[in-house]
Amino acid sequence: MSDKLKILGGALTIIEKIRTEALSFDGLDAAISRLPNHHPKFKILKDRHTALESGIGGEKRVEDTLRSHSLPFENRIFFDLHLFSTENFQLDAIILTPSYVLILEIKNISGILSFNDDPPHLMRTNSDGSKDGFDSPVPQLERNCELLSKWLSKKSIDLPVFGAIVLAYPKQIVDKSPAATTILYPKLIPAYIKKLFDEHRSKSLDKKSFHRLISEIMRSHSIYVPNPIADTYGISKNDFKTGVKCKECGIFGMRKYFKKWVCDSCGNRSGVAHYHAMKDWFLLFGARMTNRDCREFLGVDNKHKATRILQSMDLKHEGSFRDRVYWMDLRTFKIPSE
């Protein structure tokens, strides 16, 4: 997992996290590839995967808009930020200025949208007239504003926090807006940022305090590790296909010959194929892995071979040799190149 912060130059400075992988995607990919198509949870997992892809597309559209506009005051913009206050919370994007913080909750739900406030609910009307219901993003946005305000307070930083829901595409038409929440399209964001700054510029952090806040956010961000797929979706461990997957032909069941894994189907050879399978196991089940778990999931025929595999990887462990269990820190785990 690569998780770093990149500062881009120019009039508009964006600070964004660059990830080579997304653990939520990886977990869903592992589950989808290891479940039969007819499994009752298969479509749910596929729909969730599609929703994540859609969300990332919306965030990219917002990012592109912000990159193309300059602001006449110092600012920093963070995407996909994970912080902890009284609980963990995730922010799609925040615009940080010396006078205020703006949280953007980015949604990519097509159709005609009606935001109902009592109770909070989002209704979508599709082009064929059918309707779908969703949880309203308004309570989540309000909660995130509250949590970020508490986080700032703990750091002795006095800044107002505002929130807005961003609809990533013009095809998202609003029929009924929430009563007290701002709705924006990407091209409206820069003007809204400037409007808020004009309204709150009388009280600003000095340069030293502002840069201290930037450093504190960067230091406090943590990589999000999703709950195990099997637990989240109530899927039995026995429902998942075992084996080491061949990256060339997609067949499970590569076999270990000396230092290489060999696919009997296409002949592909790999020295790191087991790393992908082991990561699948921890994304799917999340618990401590025993030697027996390793043998059963990888298809290894004896415990000594499994021990060598486990000890050769960057895994945490505890217990005596006979009772030893292993676990993976998904935040730092990296798969070596071939």
Side-chain angles (χ1 to χ4, degrees):
M1 172 62 61
S2 171
D3 192 270
K4 60 185 178 179
L5 294 159
K6 178 180 177 185
I7 303 180
L8 304 176
L12 174 62
T13 304
I14 295 179
I15 303 180
E16 61 177 11
K17 297 194 322 311
I18 305 298
R19 284 185 179 170
T20 57
E21 310 169 341
L23 290 175
S24 295
F25 269 116
D26 291 345
L28 289 167
D29 284 339
I32 290 167
S33 69
R34 291 180 180 271
L35 284 176
N37 293 357
H38 57 78
H39 191 279
K41 297 297 175 66
F42 185 85
K43 186 178 185 304
I44 295 173
L45 294 167
K46 287 284 287 185
D47 288 347
R48 177 58 182 157
H49 191 278
T50 300
L52 281 179
E53 284 185 323
S54 177
I56 289 176
E59 290 178 17
K60 182 65 167 59
R61 185 176 175 84
V62 171
E63 179 187 330
D64 290 344
T65 299
L66 292 171
R67 283 179 186 273
S68 65
H69 287 77
S70 62
L71 298 174
F73 47 84
E74 191 164 14
N75 65 91
R76 296 294 187 274
I77 302 174
F78 295 82
F79 287 93
D80 191 24
L81 191 64
H82 293 262
L83 298 174
F84 178 83
S85 179
T86 53
E87 60 187 75
N88 289 304
F89 61 108
Q90 181 269 338
L91 305 169
D92 291 344
I94 68 168
I95 290 86
L96 186 67
T97 79
S99 300
Y100 70 90
V101 184
L102 173 63
I103 298 175
L104 301 180
E105 182 78 14
I106 303 168
K107 294 299 174 187
N108 186 7
I109 304 173
S110 61
I112 300 174
L113 307 179
S114 295
F115 292 83
N116 299 304
D117 293 312
D118 188 21
H121 189 68
L122 175 60
M123 183 68 70
R124 172 178 69 182
T125 302
N126 300 300
S127 57
D128 62 0
S130 62
K131 295 181 182 293
D132 301 307
F134 301 87
D135 290 333
S136 171
V138 172
Q140 183 62 56
L141 178 62
E142 292 174 343
R143 180 62 175 157
N144 283 342
C145 289
E146 178 186 347
L147 289 168
L148 184 58
S149 294
K150 289 180 179 178
W151 186 90
L152 291 169
S153 179
K154 287 180 180 178
K155 308 297 180 183
S156 300
I157 296 168
D158 183 19
L159 279 180
V161 177
F162 303 99
I165 294 170
V166 177
L167 302 179
Y169 296 93
K171 64 183 179 182
Q172 299 168 262
I173 301 169
V174 179
D175 178 55
K176 180 182 178 184
S177 300
T181 303
T182 298
I183 303 289
L184 300 171
Y185 292 101
K187 288 186 177 180
L188 300 177
I189 296 173
Y192 188 69
I193 293 171
K194 294 174 186 176
K195 173 179 176 291
L196 286 177
F197 188 82
D198 289 341
E199 292 173 353
H200 299 277
R201 66 192 310 166
S202 59
K203 184 180 180 182
S204 296
L205 296 177
D206 58 53
K207 189 169 186 178
K208 182 178 179 180
S209 298
F210 184 63
H211 284 270
R212 179 174 68 85
L213 174 56
I214 294 168
S215 298
E216 190 64 36
I217 288 176
M218 294 170 70
R219 186 166 51 249
S220 299
H221 165 72
S222 61
I223 297 173
Y224 173 66
V225 178
N227 291 325
I229 291 285
D231 293 344
T232 301
Y233 294 92
I235 304 172
S236 169
K237 183 182 289 189
N238 296 329
D239 291 352
F240 292 99
K241 188 182 300 181
T242 61
V244 176
K245 183 180 180 180
C246 175
K247 291 295 181 180
E248 292 297 320
C249 69
I251 298 297
F252 288 91
M254 295 184 82
R255 293 192 290 172
K256 188 78 159 59
Y257 289 106
F258 299 102
K259 294 184 178 182
K260 293 288 186 179
W261 293 85
V262 179
C263 177
D264 290 339
S265 178
C266 71
N268 178 49
R269 298 168 66 86
S270 170
V272 300
H274 61 294
Y275 278 81
H276 295 277
M278 293 285 277
K279 185 177 180 182
D280 282 359
W281 194 94
F282 286 100
L283 286 167
L284 293 173
F285 312 123
R288 276 22 180 184
M289 174 183 273
T290 64
N291 187 289
R292 180 177 180 178
D293 290 328
C294 179
R295 298 196 311 269
E296 291 179 349
F297 197 72
L298 299 187
V300 174
D301 55 10
N302 71 74
K303 64 181 181 181
H304 300 294
K305 189 180 291 186
T307 296
R308 288 194 294 272
I309 291 171
L310 289 163
Q311 292 180 346
S312 70
M313 300 179 66
D314 186 21
L315 300 176
K316 313 295 183 183
H317 61 82
E318 64 183 10
S320 64
F321 181 78
R322 182 179 295 275
D323 301 318
R324 182 165 292 179
V325 292
Y326 300 81
W327 69 95
M328 181 181 289
D329 186 345
L330 289 162
R331 297 169 301 175
T332 59
F333 181 75
K334 290 181 173 59
I335 296 175
S337 57
E338 291 282 2

